[in-house]
Amino acid sequence: MREARTLGSWVIALFLVVMLFWMGAELLAPQPPARNHLFEVFRNASDIAYFEPSGRFAFGVLGALAALLILVPVTRRAGAILSTLLLGVLAALVGQLVMLGVTVPVDQIAEGGTVTTVETDPSALFYLVAGLLAASLALVFVHPGSAGEKPEAGYAT
């Protein structure tokens, strides 16, 4: 049973590491012709000026930190808890956009490098974040922890 939990932990962990590094890279340094508009939408919808660029950088750095913690088996559970908190906040924010009916601009790069910005419904982004949140929660409970010896029952000194 422990081997199955270890294998499941590695599969979920590698998936989360790739997705969190991708998310962190997109938040910290989007590809040159395109921009990340999500945190600008958060700023405009809430009138809280800290969402862009401070919030974007904080989410990017925390996502990369969570990915690094998840990559190392000893700190995997702490990384999964950090990513659960981070993705929970992001899911709540994107969920608010969905409920308010706010559209999110998305840059599309066509052949030849031309960038076109289109308005889209953020529900697909919400499903992505909710799926990553579910994977983070699963990792918290699936990771087997340390393989240390358990004391025998009835052991007296």
Side-chain angles (χ1 to χ4, degrees):
M1 180 68 178
R2 183 168 178 80
E3 292 82 15
R5 289 183 71 183
T6 303
L7 179 65
S9 172
W10 272 105
V11 168
I12 296 170
L14 291 177
F15 169 70
L16 279 173
V17 164
V18 168
M19 293 303 291
L20 288 171
F21 271 134
W22 171 72
M23 183 180 80
E26 286 295 318
L27 291 176
L28 292 173
Q31 296 299 320
R35 291 182 27 210
N36 189 322
H37 299 281
L38 183 63
F39 284 86
E40 290 176 15
V41 171
F42 289 153
R43 181 188 64 204
N44 295 337
S46 68
D47 291 330
I48 298 174
Y50 294 114
F51 275 119
E52 178 63 32
S54 303
R56 181 171 51 90
F57 286 130
F59 271 83
V61 168
L62 288 174
L65 177 64
L68 287 174
L69 289 172
I70 290 171
L71 194 58
V72 179
V74 175
T75 60
R76 184 164 293 157
R77 187 164 282 137
I81 291 170
L82 176 62
S83 70
T84 299
L85 294 173
L86 180 71
L87 292 167
V89 168
L90 193 59
L93 290 172
V94 174
Q96 288 294 320
L97 293 180
V98 171
M99 285 188 267
L100 293 174
V102 176
T103 58
V104 176
V106 176
D107 288 345
Q108 295 178 340
I109 303 174
E111 291 183 29
T114 59
V115 177
T116 307
T117 303
V118 296
E119 298 285 326
T120 185
D121 178 33
S123 59
L125 177 63
F126 176 75
Y127 292 135
L128 173 67
V129 173
L132 292 175
L133 178 61
S136 294
L137 279 171
L139 185 59
V140 169
F141 295 109
V142 168
H143 184 63
S146 65
E149 295 286 327
K150 292 183 180 178
E152 294 181 24
Y155 180 73
T157 55

